[in-house]
Amino acid sequence: MKTVLSGIQPSGLLTIGNYIGAMKNFVALQEDYNSYFMVVDLHAITVAQEPAALREASESVAALYLAAGLDPVKANIFLQSHVPQHAELGWIMTTLAAMGELERMTQFKDKSEGKDSVGAGLFVYPALMAADILLYNADLVPVGDDQKQHLELTRDLAGRFNHRFGDYFTVPEPFIPKVGARIMSLDDGTKKMSKSNPNVGSFIALLDPPDVIRKKLSRATTDSGREVIYDPQNKPEISNLMSIYSQFSGLSLDEITAKYEGQMYGGFKKELAEVVVAGLEPLQQRYRDIRESGEVHQVLRQGAENAQAVAEKTLIAVKERMGFLPAQR
């Protein structure tokens, strides 16, 4: 069985973009792969985090994994920081990466733009991301378009290590779903929906109450004209709303177009809100039950134990190949 690995940062509020673009795919992949799904809290601290907020967000993301359908019997669900080998292999990958490679990362350029001072962690975190993947010799990594560059660096670092120290690492492949991989902002159909957007009206959080969802969708930006047709190039705003409708209703884009033929945006947006509210209600109820039961802590503990058993073997093999003197036990 091949191995799949991915993770989500516990910063900001998880959105329907995270659910459609990542978590739904995690749930499908756990059926056919040896699966590792992390809450990447070490990545979250590349920007300043309030300690209490980080703790709450870390537990919340893990609970949302379970509420979305991840099964701890089928997948290893854990916090990145609970497996210390991530940080150690991350340092090793940093020594293999070149400054020029890290400087070319567009996410670093975007996140550092206009800032007088930027933490070194934000610059080198693609090396830690490479370590996350390589620790488990993952064959497949679900990534959004914005993370493809980081996966390419991971592939380069794996190849570089294998060339210098002998074949060991699996060179991972990206998994980019054709549908629902990129849900766009509600206020700008040309930009990805982001939980870090300061405008809370630009995204629908997974735990938003129904009245908030209805209000956000009623205010969502739409293109000029009034036809409900899917045309991402010329009508990015309504096309994005149709993608959301399709993901939550199960209707195809053609079926949605036919359903709203001759109708205006207002009625479509109103019915879209009800479709999203109905789609999120069971997830939100499962989330509340999971948080109240406290079961997430046992899931994270077991997931970390399973992950650490594999990660430790990888790290020992890597250090042996690189010439480190083994610790005496």
Side-chain angles (χ1 to χ4, degrees):
M1 185 179 287
K2 290 188 175 182
T3 297
V4 63
L5 175 138
S6 195
I8 296 176
Q9 285 194 33
S11 56
L13 300 170
L14 291 196
T15 72
I16 60 169
N18 298 119
Y19 176 64
I20 294 169
M23 295 163 71
K24 284 181 72 175
N25 292 310
F26 294 176
V27 173
L29 289 166
Q30 72 179 343
E31 301 296 332
D32 300 310
Y33 291 87
N34 180 27
S35 301
Y36 294 86
F37 297 118
M38 303 179 294
V39 179
V40 287
D41 49 352
L42 293 177
H43 288 303
I45 62 169
T46 55
V47 296
Q49 300 288 340
E50 194 67 35
L54 179 62
R55 279 190 290 272
E56 166 59 25
S58 297
E59 184 172 338
S60 178
V61 172
L64 281 168
Y65 277 177
L66 298 173
L70 281 180
D71 182 348
V73 175
K74 299 176 181 177
N76 297 292
I77 303 163
F78 60 99
L79 295 184
Q80 184 187 26
S81 64
H82 288 180
V83 182
Q85 290 81 7
H86 283 268
E88 189 169 355
L89 187 61
W91 168 249
I92 290 173
M93 289 298 118
T94 302
T95 69
L96 293 176
M99 289 282 289
E101 289 175 312
L102 298 173
E103 287 170 345
R104 287 193 293 273
M105 297 292 112
T106 54
Q107 278 221 339
F108 172 74
K109 293 177 183 177
D110 293 343
K111 291 183 178 181
S112 61
E113 187 177 4
K115 296 182 180 178
D116 296 329
S117 177
V118 179
L122 190 61
F123 182 67
V124 301
Y125 99 86
L128 177 58
M129 181 177 168
D132 298 335
I133 297 165
L134 298 177
L135 263 179
Y136 307 98
N137 270 307
D139 300 279
L140 197 67
V141 182
V143 290
D145 291 341
D146 56 339
Q147 291 289 340
K148 282 198 297 185
Q149 193 181 29
H150 290 164
L151 186 60
E152 282 303 315
L153 177 64
T154 300
R155 290 168 54 85
D156 290 343
L157 294 177
R160 193 168 303 156
F161 180 93
N162 290 345
H163 178 72
R164 292 184 188 178
F165 304 109
D167 285 346
Y168 180 72
F169 286 128
T170 299
V171 179
E173 297 288 341
F175 171 79
I176 303 174
K178 293 179 180 179
V179 178
R182 195 171 176 87
I183 297 299
M184 312 308 280
S185 173
L186 298 181
D187 62 351
D188 185 347
T190 66
K191 295 182 179 178
K192 183 180 178 182
M193 183 178 285
S194 171
K195 57 189 171 70
S196 60
N197 191 322
N199 175 17
V200 295
S202 70
F203 60 80
I204 295 172
L206 287 178
L207 299 177
D208 274 346
D211 59 333
V212 173
I213 294 172
R214 293 184 181 106
K215 183 180 293 184
K216 287 181 176 181
L217 284 170
S218 72
R219 296 177 177 176
T221 304
T222 48
D223 312 278
S224 59
R226 52 187 180 181
E227 289 182 295
V228 180
I229 57 173
Y230 189 76
D231 183 354
Q233 183 139 4
N234 298 308
K235 295 172 73 75
E237 320 282 2
I238 198 67
S239 296
N240 182 47
L241 296 181
M242 289 177 69
S243 292
I244 294 171
Y245 197 120
S246 176
Q247 288 292 317
F248 278 97
S249 69
L251 296 177
S252 69
L253 295 169
D254 287 341
E255 287 172 328
I256 295 168
T257 300
K259 182 176 181 178
Y260 292 96
E261 184 177 1
Q263 299 188 41
M264 298 173 66
Y265 291 155
F268 167 75
K269 289 166 71 175
K270 189 172 182 179
E271 292 186 21
L272 168 61
E274 297 311 314
V275 167
V276 174
V277 166
L280 289 181
E281 193 279 330
L283 179 147
Q284 292 179 348
Q285 184 57 54
R286 286 195 299 271
Y287 172 83
R288 289 190 289 269
D289 293 343
I290 290 162
R291 291 300 300 267
E292 288 174 9
S293 72
E295 68 179 276
V296 69
H297 300 289
Q298 175 57 31
V299 169
L300 291 174
R301 184 161 49 248
Q302 187 60 58
E305 287 178 7
N306 295 342
Q308 191 164 346
V310 176
E312 179 63 15
K313 290 179 182 178
T314 299
L315 191 61
I316 289 171
V318 166
K319 291 169 74 174
E320 180 182 356
R321 281 166 170 75
M322 293 182 72
F324 286 96
L325 189 66
Q328 298 302 309
R329 301 184 184 277

